Amino acid sequence: MTAEPQTESDAPASVRQRSLAGRLVLVAAVWSTLALVIAGFILVGLYRAAGERAFDSQLEVHLNTIIGEMVSPETTGSATPGVKRPENLPEPRFSLPLSGWYWTVRKADGTDILFASPSLVGDPLTMPPLGDRESLSGFAQGPRNEEVRFLQSRITIEDVPYVIAVAAETAGFREEVSQFARQVGLTLLIFGVGLIGAIFLQVRVGLRPLSRLRASLSAVRMGDAESIDENLPREIAPLAVELNALILSNREIVERARTHVGNLAHGLKTPLSVIANEARANPGPLADKVGEQAAVMSTQIQHHLERARMAAQRRVIGVSCEVEPVLNRLVRAMDKIYQRRGIEVGASISGGIRFRGEQQDMEEMAGNLIDNACKWASSQVTVKVQVLNEGGSARSMFELVVEDDGPGLSEEERKEAVKRGRRLDETVPGTGLGLSIVADLAALYGGRFELERADIGGLKTRLVLPAL
């Protein structure tokens, strides 16, 4: 048999098949994760911004308190402006050395500090210059090299501009933001896992009708049902309707083909019978030749009509049969038929294998092989059936191997044996069509038929057929 080039449809199923549910879950999981991560950053950013605003509000309260304490009632409104050192501030940390809370007062046109909080203990509080702005807030470095949030503002008292700055350490604020970020991250992680789980369940439930459709189609393919269940959601119900229409159309085509084959057989057999009868009624060389050719024509017609019938049957959707009971019956029958010759027929048949085709075709192929082996065997015939694992094919196949311990065939004889009507030994009863019929049927079903040397000395026939 000529090997056909491997196409994309022959690629391994693991390479070609992709899970629709897996794709949906993966896409939803990726987008959900991305959305949750972005939401987490936004939430933490909003919390940080709200915390900074609250921090600035608190600093502004202290700054206004310092301004109120600076103004000296005794000098207000006089020709000489006067300010006093702010005392009795409500925040006690301004009085604790290096507590992280600081304030300073200086004139706007100079850099010398007029007043400073006791918490600075003489260390400088470096902040960016105010410039022409009336107020400025931001982050700076404290006397202990710690990060501080500051607020400085320009005020004028008795026509004298002053710059007042208030700063507070941000370590506590940063810790609160970090803790909030961890809580948000944990919460969103739990929510994300639950969301992905819900998406998975949603996809499984949503695609369940497709599983029902697949099961219904499988039942039709295996011959357990005649049509697909159309009780499905409206999105895929039209698909089931179209598939049922395709199945019905296939059956109608096959029935028409069978009818035409029968009509053709009937139309040809009658004229051939008349020719054969006329030849027998008028003996002579010409009549003998006509009778001989009429018999050849009858054989040819029967052979090709049988092939047409087989070709039509193998295309019927939903035709299949169990292999084990068919072969068990054949083995028992052959064992009884050839028992008087001492032929022992042994079988090793894997259960659960279904042939994707007509039962009578399975019986014809297996019967020809086993019967042929029993005719030529000396004492032993073995029959073995097993699932065939072929890495380059996506179809399920099984093989039927029949061996005998007879004389066997040479390589040249094995090539001749499968030719239609070719007989290698006229002493054994038969028409010579057995192995050629098997080869034709195997080819029609997309399988193959091979002859090899048997391990037990005789001929080994190997038949590979499609399985469900």
Side-chain angles (χ1 to χ4, degrees), residues 92-108:
R93 286 176 289 184
F94 285 135
S95 301
L96 299 177
L98 301 176
S99 63
W101 285 73
Y102 316 106
W103 59 266
T104 61
V105 179
R106 64 178 176 85
K107 287 187 177 182

Side-chain angles (χ1 to χ4, degrees), residues 27-337:
V27 171
V30 169
W31 280 109
S32 298
T33 302
L34 182 61
L36 291 176
V37 170
I38 294 174
F41 279 109
I42 293 175
L43 288 174
V44 173
L46 292 175
Y47 182 82
R48 182 185 296 108
E52 290 176 358
R53 288 193 298 270
F55 216 108
D56 290 344
S57 298
Q58 188 177 8
L59 293 177
E60 187 176 3
V61 169
H62 291 305
L63 187 142
N64 291 332
T65 302
I66 292 172
I67 294 174
E69 289 291 328
M70 282 177 55
V71 178
S72 174
E74 294 78 8
T75 60
T76 302
S78 63
T80 305
V83 293
K84 68 173 185 177
R85 178 184 178 83
E87 302 288 349
N88 301 320
L89 297 178
E91 177 56 66
R93 286 176 289 184
F94 285 135
S95 301
L96 299 177
L98 301 176
S99 63
W101 285 73
Y102 316 106
W103 59 266
T104 61
V105 179
R106 64 178 176 85
K107 287 187 177 182
D109 56 357
T111 58
D112 294 337
I113 302 298
L114 296 179
F115 310 115
S117 63
S119 57
L120 282 172
V121 293
D123 293 329
L125 182 61
T126 304
M127 286 178 293
L130 190 60
D132 296 334
R133 291 166 292 193
E134 293 298 321
S135 64
L136 179 65
S137 62
F139 296 94
Q141 189 173 351
R144 293 186 290 112
N145 294 325
E146 78 274 30
E147 183 187 59
V148 295
R149 178 77 176 178
F150 70 87
L151 174 64
Q152 54 181 343
S153 180
R154 187 196 312 271
I155 64 169
T156 302
I157 302 176
E158 297 295 339
D159 297 328
V160 179
Y162 297 92
V163 175
I164 303 172
V166 181
E169 186 179 7
T170 60
F173 168 69
R174 295 296 186 189
E175 179 59 30
E176 289 181 0
V177 174
S178 299
Q179 185 177 0
F180 178 78
R182 288 192 294 269
Q183 291 174 348
V184 168
L186 180 61
T187 302
L188 292 181
L189 176 62
I190 296 174
F191 181 74
V193 172
L195 181 61
I196 293 174
I199 292 172
F200 177 77
L201 291 178
Q202 180 183 10
V203 170
R204 290 297 298 271
V205 172
L207 295 182
R208 188 169 296 170
L210 291 180
S211 299
R212 287 171 48 201
L213 178 62
R214 181 183 63 182
S216 182
L217 184 59
S218 177
V220 173
R221 182 171 59 88
M222 297 185 67
D224 298 331
E226 294 185 355
S227 62
I228 298 172
D229 183 13
E230 297 179 1
N231 185 22
L232 296 167
R234 63 173 177 267
E235 289 81 5
I236 60 175
L239 176 61
V241 173
E242 293 298 327
L243 287 174
N244 281 333
L246 178 62
I247 293 172
L248 180 59
S249 175
N250 179 270
R251 288 174 179 164
E252 291 175 351
I253 291 173
V254 170
E255 288 300 324
R256 286 197 298 269
R258 287 176 175 173
T259 301
H260 292 326
V261 168
N263 293 338
L264 179 61
H266 179 74
L268 292 176
K269 283 182 178 178
T270 300
L272 284 175
S273 297
V274 172
I275 292 174
N277 291 336
E278 290 295 328
R280 285 193 295 269
N282 300 280
L286 178 61
D288 294 340
K289 192 65 175 179
V290 170
E292 177 187 345
Q293 293 303 313
V296 173
M297 292 173 62
S298 179
T299 302
Q300 291 273 4
I301 291 171
Q302 185 64 32
H303 174 74
H304 288 289
L305 290 180
E306 185 68 14
R307 287 197 62 177
R309 179 192 66 81
M310 293 184 298
Q313 287 178 345
R314 71 173 291 268
R315 287 169 173 81
V316 179
I317 298 175
V319 176
S320 66
C321 68
E322 288 280 351
V323 174
E324 184 177 13
V326 171
L327 291 182
N328 283 335
R329 289 195 300 270
L330 289 173
V331 168
R332 287 195 299 268
M334 296 297 174
D335 196 39
K336 292 180 180 179
I337 292 173

Side-chain angles (χ1 to χ4, degrees), residues 411-437:
E411 183 176 353
E412 188 65 27
E413 289 174 333
R414 289 197 292 268
K415 294 179 181 179
E416 292 290 326
V418 294
K419 293 182 179 180
R420 184 178 55 84
R422 175 64 171 153
R423 300 193 58 197
L424 301 179
D425 192 340
E426 300 292 339
T427 63
V428 178
T431 63
L433 293 173
L435 296 184
S436 65
I437 290 175

